[in-house]
Amino acid sequence: MHPAHIDALARDLATASLTSEGIRALVGAGAEAALARAVAAPARRAALRSPGARSTLLRALVLGDAVPADELADALPSLGVDGAVALGIVALDGDAARPLVAIRPCAFRDALGEGEWWIASDLDELAGVAPLRPDHVLGIGGAARTLAALLPPADAPVGAALDLGTGCGVIALHLRRFADRVVATDVSERALRFAALNARLNGVDGIETRLGSLFEPVAGERFDLIASNPPFVITPREPGVPAFEYRDGGRTGDALMGEVVAGLAEHLTARGEARLLGNWESIAGADGLDRAGAWASDGLDVWAIERESLDPVRYAELWLRDGGTLPRDADFPRLAGAWLDDFEARGVTAIGMGWIAARASGGGRPPLRRLERVGQAVALEHVGAHLRSALDDAAWLAGIDDDALRETVLVAPPDVTEARHQLPGAAGPNVIELRQGGGLGRSLPVDTALAALVGASDGELPVGTLLAAIAGLLEVDEAVLAADLLPRVRELVLTGFLHRRRD
Ligand SMILES: C[S@@+](CC[C@H](N)C(=O)[O-])C[C@H]1O[C@@H](n2cnc3c(N)ncnc32)[C@H](O)[C@@H]1O
């Protein structure tokens, strides 16, 4: 890949405005939205009606359609068709140029705001490719968008960051927005070529690609931030079951996830953090979330959040569909059988899917092991900041006793509201609920005393003073009230319903 060719391609994409906005203007909002659902026909129809450089590039690079070579030449005045062939993005079939990769504009939002990249990846379902090749390199999907949202806010300098299993390099691009340098690893040389292409295409330097499995390419190195959307999909290790490199790490069950989590502590700097996506199995009565927590070694605070749990049948169906095998296909029963045999043989009863946030704990106290099921809708834009402050607060809470907590001034953030429910005609509420708009979108039933404490936490008076006032108002013993409320206040701080006042 000649850098000059990549730079010429970037110029041509920009000149043609092959951007999300440009595509919307060309094909309309409905057809553009359909692209995200892998439905190409409406955009193709609209593009064919409006010939021009953007239309040609949309059909070739976004939809994966063969286009006349002379049209492509007009659409790529800097790169030219020969340059596109040399770059490996098209092949010539007579007078037609056949795309070999997809290059799509991808709008994003992360801790530093909004932006857009062009992301090159293998042709996929949107381009009518099914089943995918075993070494398929993914473009930006929902998982990558989620992981990007889990990254901590960019409020402190990050020296070195690691993207483990980089694929097309999208997470490395996010990391480089706030890290001085990024190492992006993968077992796939093809993936690393895409990652390098995407970095150059988007004018991003400081991303070093390294070939190798898991932490091998970074042996002995430490990072301030590690992010990974690893190949966590549990796949039966049986001959004849297709394995896709982008999702399957070649281990039995969830062993690869265990290796990634176990390797974090020795690759994080003293205040280093990690964000992972993952799957974990409940095996023979042992809860999968507990197993996920147990993967971490000492020296690491871990917060594992299970977003969904699937039974083996639904899990097998999900990943068979993802690989392009539908229930109506002849191979479905054999493949589903292989998945179910594997789960049965190993006693797997459920598979949890979720997020892991971790941080070097520095020793001197027991590491945090917080294991939660969070099934409600969560606004992703709040999650990265919440996980950071929750891990900070967990470390702070672990270091203070109840006397120190009484001295602390807390603040209920403005996204916290209270809902009161009462039976028609009742004198007072039967249920009081606190809700948060940010954080993990939690709602929490509380009693009058705790609601009063949260309501009065406006950053003025310490917890102890509020406790005394509430005990007086409710005419209850202050020590009894404190013993009841202080553990719950700790939980409210951890979950973001209350914050420490930062002077
Ligand atoms: C789910 S994809 C994630 C790609 C990209 N980071 C994203 O979020 O879209 C997982 C990536 O891990 C790579 N991979 C598979 N086995 C690996 C291993 N043992 N060590 C490192 N990377 C691996 C795959 O080639 C693939 O690119």
Side-chain angles (χ1 to χ4, degrees):
M1 280 187 311
H2 202 292
H5 283 148
I6 304 174
D7 296 345
L9 173 62
R11 279 196 300 279
D12 289 339
L13 297 178
T15 303
S17 296
L18 192 74
T19 58
S20 303
E21 210 181 311
I23 291 177
R24 206 172 312 127
L26 181 73
V27 304
E32 193 226 2
L35 295 175
R37 305 191 298 274
V39 177
R44 179 177 296 119
R45 181 169 176 268
L48 284 168
R49 285 181 179 164
S50 304
R54 195 184 313 161
S55 167
T56 304
L57 294 179
L58 168 72
R59 286 184 288 127
L61 299 179
V62 176
L63 307 183
D65 293 351
V67 295
D70 56 348
E71 274 186 36
L72 189 66
D74 290 344
L76 295 174
S78 298
L79 179 63
V81 174
D82 288 348
V85 171
L87 199 49
I89 63 172
V90 299
L92 288 178
D93 278 343
D95 292 340
R98 182 170 49 83
L100 300 176
V101 302
I103 302 178
R104 299 176 179 139
C106 300
F108 64 85
R109 180 184 176 78
D110 66 11
L112 285 175
E114 294 181 356
E116 182 149 285
W117 286 309
W118 288 298
I119 296 294
S121 63
D122 272 320
L123 295 166
D124 54 14
E125 196 188 348
L126 177 60
V129 174
L132 302 176
R133 47 190 288 171
D135 58 356
H136 178 81
V137 176
L138 281 182
I140 296 189
R145 287 185 200 280
T146 300
L147 180 56
L150 302 190
L151 298 177
D155 53 5
V158 174
L162 170 66
D163 175 15
L164 192 154
T166 194
C168 68
V170 53
I171 297 301
L173 286 171
H174 278 289
L175 291 173
R176 181 65 181 95
R177 278 162 60 80
F178 46 88
D180 294 339
R181 66 183 187 90
V182 176
V183 177
T185 67
D186 209 291
V187 283
S188 158
E189 274 200 73
R190 294 188 72 245
L192 293 181
R193 281 202 296 275
F194 274 110
L197 167 66
N198 285 327
R200 181 87 196 191
L201 191 57
N202 292 287
V204 176
D205 62 3
I207 297 178
E208 182 193 344
T209 58
R210 292 191 203 166
L211 183 67
S213 180
L214 300 185
F215 293 101
E216 277 166 19
V218 293
E221 287 176 61
R222 291 185 182 269
F223 297 87
D224 302 308
L225 182 57
I226 298 178
S228 184
N229 170 13
F232 52 68
V233 177
I234 297 156
T235 309
R237 310 256 69 93
E238 195 182 300
V241 175
F244 297 102
E245 210 164 27
Y246 71 85
R247 65 179 214 193
D248 167 24
R251 310 291 199 276
T252 297
D254 55 15
L256 181 129
M257 267 319 291
E259 289 176 48
V260 175
V261 178
L264 291 175
E266 66 178 275
H267 291 284
L268 286 174
T269 54
R271 302 250 323 144
E273 293 186 55
R275 301 288 184 271
L276 313 175
L277 305 182
N279 284 187
W280 34 83
E281 298 178 314
S282 290
I283 303 178
D287 188 283
L289 252 183
D290 293 340
R291 294 183 59 252
W295 285 330
S297 41
D298 286 346
L300 197 69
D301 287 337
V302 170
W303 191 310
I305 296 171
E306 185 169 289
R307 296 287 289 136
E308 199 178 355
S309 174
L310 295 183
D311 63 57
V313 175
R314 285 183 59 212
Y315 190 86
E317 186 187 328
L318 171 74
W319 293 110
L320 282 170
R321 283 181 189 274
D322 173 83
T325 307
L326 302 178
R328 63 165 183 259
D329 294 333
D331 228 8
F332 189 89
R334 178 184 71 84
L335 292 173
W339 244 278
L340 297 180
D341 285 349
D342 173 50
F343 284 137
E344 218 169 273
R346 295 183 303 104
V348 176
T349 51
I351 305 93
M353 310 168 79
W355 313 333
I356 292 180
R359 191 167 90 157
S361 66
R365 61 172 169 81
L368 172 79
R369 291 288 179 270
R370 189 174 172 99
L371 312 167
E372 278 196 277
R373 296 195 160 79
V374 175
Q376 69 271 14
V378 172
L380 279 178
E381 70 260 34
H382 304 300
V383 178
H386 174 65
L387 292 177
R388 154 68 66 74
S389 65
L391 287 170
D392 276 352
D393 287 337
W396 169 69
L397 285 168
I400 62 160
D401 61 15
D402 279 352
D403 288 339
L405 182 56
R406 282 168 176 271
E407 311 264 297
T408 306
V409 177
L410 296 175
V411 189
D415 67 299
V416 170
T417 54
E418 182 187 286
R420 289 175 174 249
H421 307 267
Q422 67 189 69
L423 293 170
N430 305 79
V431 178
I432 308 174
E433 209 176 40
L434 295 181
R435 294 177 180 167
Q436 65 184 173
L440 295 182
R442 301 167 199 265
S443 50
L444 188 77
V446 290
D447 52 30
T448 314
L450 193 54
L453 190 136
V454 173
S457 293
D458 57 4
E460 291 294 325
L461 297 171
V463 172
T465 307
L466 297 180
L467 277 175
I470 294 166
L473 273 172
L474 297 178
E475 298 177 0
V476 295
D477 181 80
E478 188 189 331
V480 172
L481 186 71
D484 175 37
L485 288 195
L486 287 177
R488 294 200 277 155
V489 167
R490 284 176 183 267
E491 179 66 14
L492 289 183
V493 171
L494 272 178
T495 50
F497 284 94
L498 290 171
H499 289 164
R500 277 176 284 165
R501 186 180 72 190
R502 317 231 184 225
D503 294 317

